[in-house]
Amino acid sequence: MSIPNKVNLQESKTTLAGNKLVVCDSPIGKLGLSICYDVRFPEMYVMLVQDMGAEILLMPSAFTVPTGKAHWHALLRGE
């Protein structure tokens, strides 16, 4: 993602795609792990909760203020 004179992010330089769903124990409960892109796939969250026992869902994002305004709120409302 690149916005001239503002930001240039290339997550692919530091992040690899996963190939399995992950739930892990923590002191506050079972965490279902994901990333912001995954919010487009609600069936994945159903599996994390119903099949794997996740109690808390995590979806960190690297959205910037401009990209967050354009995408994040709409994505969360749509699910």
Side-chain angles (χ1 to χ4, degrees), residues 40-60:
R40 294 163 174 83
F41 308 102
E43 64 278 4
M44 185 188 87
Y45 294 98
V46 171
M47 291 175 68
L48 285 168
V49 172
Q50 292 182 358
D51 299 341
M52 301 175 72
E55 300 167 311
I56 301 165
L57 299 172
L58 301 180
M59 56 184 77

Side-chain angles (χ1 to χ4, degrees), residues 11 34-41 44-45 59-61 63 72 75:
E11 291 175 345
S34 66
I35 62 167
C36 58
Y37 185 84
D38 295 333
V39 76
R40 294 163 174 83
F41 308 102
M44 185 188 87
Y45 294 98
M59 56 184 77
S61 76
F63 285 130
W72 192 234
L75 282 171

